[in-house]
Amino acid sequence: MVDKKNRGDAVVVIGLGRFGGALAAELVTRDVEVLGVDNDAKNVQHFSGRLTHVVCADSTDPDALEQLGITEFGRAVVGIGTDIEASILTTSILADLGVADIWAKSISLQHSRILQRVGAHHVVQPEHDMGERVAHLVTGRMLDYVEVDEDYAMIKTMAPRWADGRSLGSLGVRSKYGVTVVGIKKPGGRFTYATSDTVIHGGDTLLVAGDTDKVERFADET
């Protein structure tokens, strides 16, 4: 049993596989208190000493989670992926226990919908999201792609040749393409905020935000 106290900023990670384990370890490097829970003793042993707390327990047992003091944690991540039933049951129990912020890993759209229905506040599909991101990078001229919201994205792309030596204000990127250049990086430099007076040169890297189809069209013309 974990000592009970106010842990509003702490996180419980249930399921210490590749996704949950990597997430838990990263949180610890950010000085976040983490309780790792897994029903596999080998996983628990692997993370012993690496996480703030780590225990072997059945997350589909409400009594077991209550005894661990799960209700004292402000956030929970259900990293269980392959065992869909356990994923759904665990999420439902966390919701019943009143955990304020529940994140859950999903492996399909149907799985995502069920997780949301039983109480998950946030659902992530790591494989799907990464696949979509890589698809954009492979098929376009983007250096990076991040979907910020449904149908809205931010991309990193090289400055187009036709913009060389001109300011953003004179280019009219927003009116012509419907996107916003929010940052710029000179070769060897760091990203800085872009303004209408910012002059673009060949070799510059741009951060561009807007509707997904519009940022894709802008990248295609770079």
Side-chain angles (χ1 to χ4, degrees), residues 65-216:
L65 293 186
E66 277 198 278
Q67 289 173 11
L68 289 173
I70 298 299
T71 56
E72 307 298 322
F73 288 76
R75 293 166 290 178
V77 178
V78 181
I80 303 169
T82 54
D83 190 338
I84 296 178
E85 182 179 359
S87 165
I88 294 168
L89 282 172
T90 299
T91 302
S92 177
I93 292 169
L94 292 173
D96 289 342
L97 291 175
V99 176
D101 195 16
I102 302 171
W103 293 72
K105 174 188 175 182
S106 163
I107 61 172
S108 68
L109 180 59
Q110 184 179 19
H111 187 195
S112 297
R113 289 171 176 167
I114 295 173
L115 288 170
Q116 290 173 330
R117 288 172 185 168
V118 299
H121 303 103
H122 315 276
V123 177
V124 295
Q125 284 185 254
E127 290 84 359
H128 172 273
D129 294 344
M130 181 57 70
E132 183 177 81
R133 177 170 174 259
V134 173
H136 279 89
L137 302 183
V138 170
T139 59
R141 300 194 61 183
M142 305 176 198
L143 302 175
D144 205 351
Y145 171 92
V146 177
E147 187 175 55
V148 180
D149 201 352
E150 186 175 357
D151 296 327
Y152 192 88
M154 180 174 290
I155 66 167
K156 182 167 70 173
T157 187
M158 297 302 295
R161 294 179 181 176
W162 45 262
D164 188 35
R166 300 180 60 184
S167 69
L168 282 174
S170 68
L171 288 170
V173 172
R174 185 177 300 179
S175 59
K176 183 177 180 181
Y177 292 96
V179 300
T180 302
V181 178
V182 296
I184 182 172
K185 183 173 76 170
K186 302 296 181 182
R190 302 177 64 180
F191 273 107
T192 59
Y193 291 111
T195 70
S196 60
D197 296 325
T198 299
V199 177
I200 307 299
H201 294 288
D204 290 349
T205 304
L206 307 180
L207 281 181
V208 183
D211 294 342
T212 303
D213 59 338
K214 292 178 181 177
V215 295
E216 288 175 345

